Amino acid sequence: PQVELIERLIGKGFNLKLYDPSVNLSALTGVNRQYIEKAIPHIGSIMMTSLRKTVVAADVIIIGNASPEFRNIEPML
């Protein structure tokens, strides 16, 4: 569902940035890699390496991950 949401938002013209430390593009293989390359072929250009930079630059934040890292983003705002 998150990949579909990302693609829809990009398709609607939103300037989307994605932060997910569990996504390692160079480590993706097989069906997972094929799916990402087909669904979000430009994922490398929207990936961010810093949660803080992503949050500070955002107008809207969508969290689709239960990682503890995302529980305390309010102080970054």
Side-chain angles (χ1 to χ4, degrees), residues 2-76:
Q2 295 163 348
V3 172
E4 184 176 330
L5 176 61
I6 290 166
E7 192 57 30
R8 284 182 186 224
L9 291 172
I10 290 171
K12 295 283 185 183
F14 287 91
N15 180 13
L16 189 79
K17 297 299 179 193
L18 174 65
Y19 172 78
D20 190 340
S22 66
V23 173
N24 181 348
L25 297 177
S26 62
L28 288 175
T29 60
V31 175
N32 289 334
R33 184 176 192 91
Q34 291 172 354
Y35 177 71
I36 290 294
E37 287 176 346
K38 181 179 178 184
I40 313 172
H42 44 281
I43 191 168
S45 66
I46 65 171
M47 290 292 297
M48 301 286 287
T49 57
S50 163
L51 176 58
R52 176 178 275 301
K53 288 179 182 178
T54 307
V55 169
V56 169
D59 290 328
V60 175
I61 300 168
I62 299 171
I63 300 173
N65 184 316
S67 172
E69 180 178 24
F70 299 110
R71 293 191 182 139
N72 296 311
I73 63 170
E74 189 174 351
M76 295 180 200

